[in-house]
Amino acid sequence: MSNKQNLLVELERETASTKKMLAALNDNVLDYKPHEKSMSMGSLAAHIVNLNNWISVGLGKDSLDLITDLPAITDRSVEGLQNALDDSFQKAVDQIYKMEDEDWTTEWTLKAGDRIILKMPKIAIFRFMIQNHMIHHRGQLSVYLRMNDIPVPGMYGPSADEK
């Protein structure tokens, strides 16, 4: 299996897990925050969904500016988030297909305006800053679900709520 195919399998499986998590949500809990410093459940879910946009918007370039480059997810209903995930997934797949092996070793910069946050090869950005970042926040979202007595779907096998 080629590197590109491996990345596509990873993207597909993690997106499927995110879809399970979104399917567990309902619109009346999206304002829930476990702490004043925490994101709301809806904001956290939107951030998870928006991470797929980093692939299509950012990896075709040499940098991503968090302030100006990312599309906003304006419909933060569960259905809107599901639609945004489907859209961002397909765009991410298209971007991965466009990239050649040597593109993945190109240095890439994440910034916020003039502030440089980090520089890494694109493959490290895909794994570390996008996929692992999304998995981390999906784990947070699973805790939010538990705190609201919403059954948590299994991501890598059955959860305690699944038989």
Side-chain angles (χ1 to χ4, degrees):
M1 192 180 287
S2 73
N3 287 334
K4 191 178 293 194
Q5 289 170 316
N6 285 327
L7 295 173
L8 289 166
V9 167
E10 183 177 339
L11 176 66
E12 182 179 294
R13 292 190 182 217
E14 294 304 335
T15 301
S17 291
T18 299
K19 284 183 177 191
K20 285 186 198 177
M21 194 67 72
L22 293 177
L25 297 175
N26 59 65
D27 288 336
N28 64 350
V29 296
L30 295 179
D31 289 333
Y32 171 76
K33 290 173 73 166
H35 188 274
E36 66 185 41
K37 293 182 181 179
S38 299
M39 284 188 266
S40 69
M41 194 177 303
S43 293
L44 182 57
H47 180 56
I48 292 165
V49 168
N50 210 11
L51 282 165
N52 268 359
N53 285 320
W54 290 33
I55 298 168
S56 62
V57 173
L59 292 184
K61 306 184 308 181
D62 292 331
S63 67
L64 176 73
D65 187 326
L66 294 172
I67 296 171
T68 60
D69 291 341
L70 287 174
I73 296 177
T74 55
D75 182 353
R76 292 207 176 175
S77 67
V78 172
E79 182 180 4
L81 292 170
Q82 290 168 326
N83 291 338
L85 180 63
D86 289 341
D87 183 56
S88 67
F89 170 76
Q90 190 53 57
K91 289 177 181 174
V93 167
D94 294 345
Q95 180 59 45
I96 290 171
Y97 272 118
K98 288 178 192 173
M99 295 177 72
E100 300 299 330
D101 285 345
E102 59 271 10
D103 294 330
W104 293 100
T105 60
T106 304
E107 186 171 89
W108 187 87
T109 305
L110 178 65
K111 58 187 181 175
D114 292 333
R115 182 174 153 240
I116 294 176
I117 298 169
L118 59 83
K119 289 184 177 194
M120 293 180 163
K122 288 181 181 182
I123 189 64
I125 292 298
F126 177 84
R127 289 264 162 74
F128 167 71
M129 205 57 211
I130 300 172
Q131 294 297 87
N132 292 353
H133 186 169
M134 182 265 311
I135 292 165
H136 158 75
H137 284 305
R138 210 172 52 213
Q140 284 182 295
L141 187 57
S142 72
V143 173
Y144 283 32
L145 292 175
R146 178 72 68 223
M147 294 173 79
N148 282 273
D149 294 320
I150 298 170
V152 177
M155 297 292 103
Y156 304 104
S159 74
D161 296 319
E162 296 174 327
K163 301 282 181 203

